[in-house]
Amino acid sequence: MRQYLDVKDQHPDALVLFRLGDFYELFFEDAVLGSRLLDLTLTTRDKGKDDAVPMCGVPHHAARGYIAKLTELGHRVVIVEQVEDPRLAKGLVKREVARIVTPGVVLDDEVLDPKQPRYVAAIVATKQSVGLAYLDATTGELRATELAPAELEGELVRVAPREVLADAKQLADGGALAALRARYKVAWHATAIPATVDAAVTELAKLSGVDREAALAVRAAAAVVSYARATQPTGALPIRALAMYRPGDAVVLDEAAIANLELVETLIGRRAQGSLLDVIDQTVTAPGGRLLRRWLLYPLVDVAQIRRRQDAVAWLVERPALTEQLRRALSRIADLERLAGKAMLGVAMPRDLGRLRDALAALPELIALVASGTTKLDPAPALLALEPARDPALATLAARLARALVDAPSFLLKDRAIRAGYDATVDECRSLADGGKEQIAAIEEREQKGSGIPSLKVRYNRVFGYYIEITKSHLAKVPAHYARKQTIATGERYVTPELAELEKKVVAAEDTLAIREAELFRAEVCAVAELAGPIAAAGAALAICDACAALADVAASRGYCRPIVDDGRALDITDGRHPVIEAMLPAGAFVPNDCRLDLDSDQLVLITGPNMAGKSTYMRQVAQIVLLAQIGAFVPAKAATIGVCDRVFTRVGASDNLSRGDSTFMVEMRETATILANATARSLIVLDEVGRGTSTFDGVSIAWAVAEHIHDAIGARTLFATHYHELVALAESRPRVRNVSVAVREHKNEIVFLRRVIPGGASKSYGIDVARLAGLPKRVVDRSREIMATLETGCFAAETSLRSASPQLSLLANVAPTSVETSLRAALAAIDPNRITPLEALQLLADLKSLT
Ligand code: ADP
Ligand code: MG
């Protein structure tokens, strides 16, 4: 217990799994918690005594699954192993912390998603600025950035770490970080973030050319590295570089945009299937999949970089046969980044090194394949050239591993992973052990004949090694020199001096063999670890090939085009399609549509049309096409010109956003406020039914004011869908507002959705037509039309704006004033509409609403 308590003292907030023989045991509160989480029977140690200790355990061979379950539930697990052979130990067997498994630091392939990174992140926050760093311990990918506090949550959502470290005091003080922890549900770990940065990270930062200003980011990196390092006392983290980035290096995408555009998971149900990534991720390797995910979440803003990727994709699109061959070859290649990581961490198994060797051996074939597509006029683009895979050290390593390891090593070393002929000691011990076993087998036949007992068997068990077993009916014939060892139900077990002697030889040979094999294998792992950098670099180069080939494959199979990406002010899409919905419909069923946005003329496109017409689909498709274009991909359109966007904002109206279940209007307004505060003239804004979450009057007014503000003050390219067709009038007073609508046709008393976006606003909302079709009495339908006519002429006549809103208020005049109305009237009387900005109008509206 002393040993146990020492460990527990050092890890009070983790579950300690303590190896005792064939079990990992949990004690005290850990046992109580563990038994509940893992559905284990809770027992006690030293039963009956006053200080009986609660305990529960899991068999060591099944521990993996249990550990995985605990970490997936957000717990940290400390694994304590026996570090000496219990047979040889004098007194207490020595035990040490072998590793710590945390939600963010998991090395188990069975738990890891091959196509997703597993990040642990650290936050170092001051009032003005936040350092964020995150590490994938399996590959050593380490990135850091410095952000404004308001940007942190969006970036966390994009990075999606499984575990976040932050300063314990800040988490406890009820401030911004505490609030973030309450909202952002992952495993948070309150810790002390060191004020100084350790030498290793300082070195990394220097190597990566990090400037002084990034002090918070570097501190966050140091925190995350030292945390991860402590989880692996016996291995080294495969970190080679600290990649610093600025939020503005990529298109800024906040949580709303990532969710609404369904980039990596669907809005409803949060499934990967049906997301944009799902459609374009035709990668055939895990690193390729991880890279493409990153590309999609960090679209580029630099035209030259985008074109480099496009060049690579286009080059492959023009060579379909080569691309197919390349993809087939890549699909056989193991995850070099994670295998190199495993070698450095010291957790590589023989099977891992076998796969690594085969992958390295396949590199020349891949290089040759890409080179074979090179023509004088059209050489392979630099991105595909696989330069790092040409490192001769890799070929040397592959040859070395080929000599040392059998063709298909299994998971375990003792399954003869070392190739025969590689090492004299191994060969000798194996033949001694095998010879001994053969001799033992021969004894069985000899003794059967000698004793006249045909059923005599030589057997082996772990308790007393080799023995002779004789069934009851033959006990009379047992030779005198057999020494009885054990009685069993069916007979007796014996040993002989000869057997004991042979056994000793076999055991000695096998012991020596195991030690030697382990030594040799460790040397191979070290040889790999030493080249971990070049191996991972080759892996990264393959990942780029895979990602580009995947995009080429999608482009070819789905008929995408190469967009023109430039720094221009336009966004011009001909026959664009929604990549995901198109993929779900039968071929040709999706109706393509054009989109033209231009800062100088068609800055804000207002989309009207009845419910279900296709407004949301149209807007999302435009945003997705922009993002695809900016990751360097081809896009679902006949032709497209994309002037790069620096940010993409989306806001999706209440009823389209059921899954969130928040107080919808508040969320809607908060998201709208974020957009208005952060959008620039280079942004793309997608607003879907803003104002829908409140009554019609506020809804129309807010939508109107927001649209005006975007037009007048921000000047960003904007798609604005609304079922308030009153807004159509905006185009008459604002020069860069264009109306389009999604066409519908009435046919035999039904509304037919044509899915065509046509110029001009919807003339009517069709709501009343739908009501008529649904069988509402004619009197009611007619009355609806009357009321609608009043509203249309009264409320939002084009030449006036919100100022002329008085007719709608007159609707209220017929009702006896209540105290609420009295105060509303008073408040309204105090407003001078000529002197307020649209934003103030918004605020006023919110105030007025609060009076009701
Ligand atoms: P709205 O936002 O106008 O209410 P949606 O965009 O949600 O309409 O579209 C309603 C349905 O119509 C979608 O589920 C989609 O499957 C289908 N749809 C939309 N646009 C198209 C199109 N261009 N081609 C084919 N089907 C479409
Ligand atoms: Mg919609």
Side-chain angles (χ1 to χ4, degrees), residues 615-616 656 688-689 692:
K615 302 182 294 296
S616 302
D656 282 26
D688 197 350
E689 310 268 14
R692 196 174 183 168

Side-chain angles (χ1 to χ4, degrees), residues 397-448:
L397 178 66
R400 174 188 171 139
L401 291 171
R403 278 195 307 278
L405 299 177
V406 295
D407 286 346
S410 80
F411 192 66
L412 294 173
L413 185 59
K414 70 170 195 292
D415 294 336
R416 308 226 151 159
I418 305 289
R419 192 185 284 280
Y422 182 63
D423 179 74
T425 313
V426 167
D427 291 348
E428 193 184 315
C429 291
R430 277 186 191 157
S431 76
L432 276 176
D434 292 351
K437 282 183 191 158
E438 269 168 36
Q439 282 178 14
I440 290 168
I443 287 175
E444 184 174 281
E445 217 187 308
R446 194 192 68 206
E447 292 296 305
Q448 280 171 359

Side-chain angles (χ1 to χ4, degrees), residues 273-338:
Q273 201 191 3
S275 66
L276 180 56
L277 181 63
D278 184 41
V279 171
I280 63 166
D281 184 7
Q282 302 300 324
T283 57
V284 293
T285 70
R290 295 196 297 268
L291 182 67
L292 195 57
R293 162 182 283 265
R294 184 159 186 97
W295 282 4
L296 185 58
L297 286 170
Y298 290 85
L300 301 168
V301 291
D302 180 70
V303 171
Q305 278 183 44
I306 294 169
R307 289 200 183 140
R308 267 204 291 284
R309 283 204 201 142
Q310 286 187 327
D311 287 343
V313 176
W315 192 83
L316 291 167
V317 167
E318 286 156 18
R319 292 162 177 76
L322 184 147
T323 305
E324 196 40 50
Q325 277 176 293
L326 182 65
R327 281 159 53 78
R328 213 170 310 130
L330 281 167
S331 71
R332 291 192 295 264
I333 293 210
D335 188 337
L336 285 175
E337 293 172 351
R338 281 197 172 154

Side-chain angles (χ1 to χ4, degrees), residues 581 585 589-591 593 610-617 656 755:
I581 296 181
L585 293 178
F590 191 88
V591 181
N593 275 304
N611 271 328
M612 287 302 286
K615 302 182 294 296
S616 302
T617 305
D656 282 26
R755 313 290 183 213

Side-chain angles (χ1 to χ4, degrees), residues 471-798:
T471 50
K472 270 186 183 150
S473 50
H474 297 291
L475 291 180
K477 286 184 265 179
V478 171
H481 67 280
Y482 284 18
R484 207 180 68 209
K485 196 81 189 181
Q486 189 188 22
T487 305
I488 53 168
T490 53
E492 301 274 354
R493 289 172 173 175
Y494 302 89
V495 291
T496 67
E498 185 193 16
L499 264 184
E501 190 56 37
L502 274 171
E503 182 189 330
K504 232 202 259 156
K505 253 164 86 181
V506 170
V507 168
E510 280 184 337
D511 278 353
T512 316
L513 178 65
I515 291 168
R516 182 63 183 155
E517 278 178 335
E519 202 173 273
L520 290 170
F521 184 68
R522 216 174 308 122
E524 298 309 310
V525 173
C526 282
V528 172
E530 252 164 56
L531 281 180
I535 295 170
L542 294 180
I544 295 174
C545 273
D546 189 19
C548 289
L551 293 178
D553 183 73
V554 181
S557 65
R558 299 204 174 277
Y560 289 8
C561 76
R562 175 176 181 158
I564 296 166
V565 178
D566 58 23
D567 281 319
R569 301 159 69 81
L571 202 163
D572 200 345
I573 299 168
T574 308
D575 278 352
R577 287 117 53 198
H578 189 296
V580 179
I581 296 181
E582 176 189 42
M584 293 189 307
L585 293 178
F590 191 88
V591 181
N593 275 304
D594 298 347
C595 175
R596 180 166 174 77
L597 285 166
D598 192 319
L599 284 182
D600 304 314
S601 52
D602 306 49
Q603 180 218 318
L604 191 150
V605 169
L606 196 79
I607 304 149
T608 41
N611 271 328
M612 287 302 286
K615 302 182 294 296
S616 302
T617 305
Y618 174 69
M619 294 196 301
R620 285 191 181 143
Q621 105 190 9
V622 170
Q624 291 190 341
I625 286 173
V626 167
L627 293 181
L628 285 177
Q630 292 191 222
I631 71 171
F634 282 27
V635 298
K638 195 176 270 171
T641 301
I642 312 288
V644 287
C645 301
D646 64 348
R647 290 153 188 252
V648 173
F649 291 102
T650 67
R651 157 91 275 287
V652 173
S655 70
D656 282 26
N657 204 352
L658 294 170
S659 62
R660 302 176 60 105
D662 295 298
S663 155
T664 46
F665 184 62
M666 192 61 201
V667 173
E668 187 178 331
M669 285 302 110
R670 201 187 294 131
E671 287 179 9
T672 306
T674 308
I675 297 176
L676 298 187
N678 294 295
T680 76
R682 281 238 70 104
S683 304
L684 175 67
I685 303 177
V686 169
L687 293 171
D688 197 350
E689 310 268 14
V690 165
R692 196 174 183 168
T694 184
S695 76
T696 305
F697 286 147
D698 329 13
V700 182
S701 316
I702 292 171
W704 189 295
V706 167
E708 273 185 4
H709 183 75
I710 292 174
H711 179 279
D712 300 350
I714 299 175
R717 286 167 293 182
T718 303
L719 292 168
F720 196 120
T722 182
H723 67 287
Y724 300 129
H725 62 284
E726 294 84 350
L727 261 67
V728 165
L730 199 59
E732 290 168 36
S733 64
R734 292 298 187 283
R736 297 182 307 281
V737 173
R738 285 289 163 272
N739 281 306
V740 300
S741 53
V742 192
V744 292
R745 200 179 58 205
E746 277 174 71
H747 179 70
K748 291 191 187 144
N749 272 356
E750 277 191 40
I751 292 180
V752 181
F753 294 112
L754 300 177
R755 313 290 183 213
R756 295 281 322 164
V757 174
I758 53 170
S763 54
K764 53 179 181 172
S765 79
Y766 283 92
I768 295 173
D769 300 81
V770 175
R772 179 174 54 82
L773 292 174
L776 236 60
K778 185 168 179 333
R779 272 185 59 194
V780 176
V781 171
D782 289 347
R783 177 63 184 145
S784 311
R785 290 202 198 284
E786 260 175 57
I787 296 173
M788 187 154 111
T790 324
L791 293 176
E792 274 173 356
T793 50
C795 298
F796 292 104

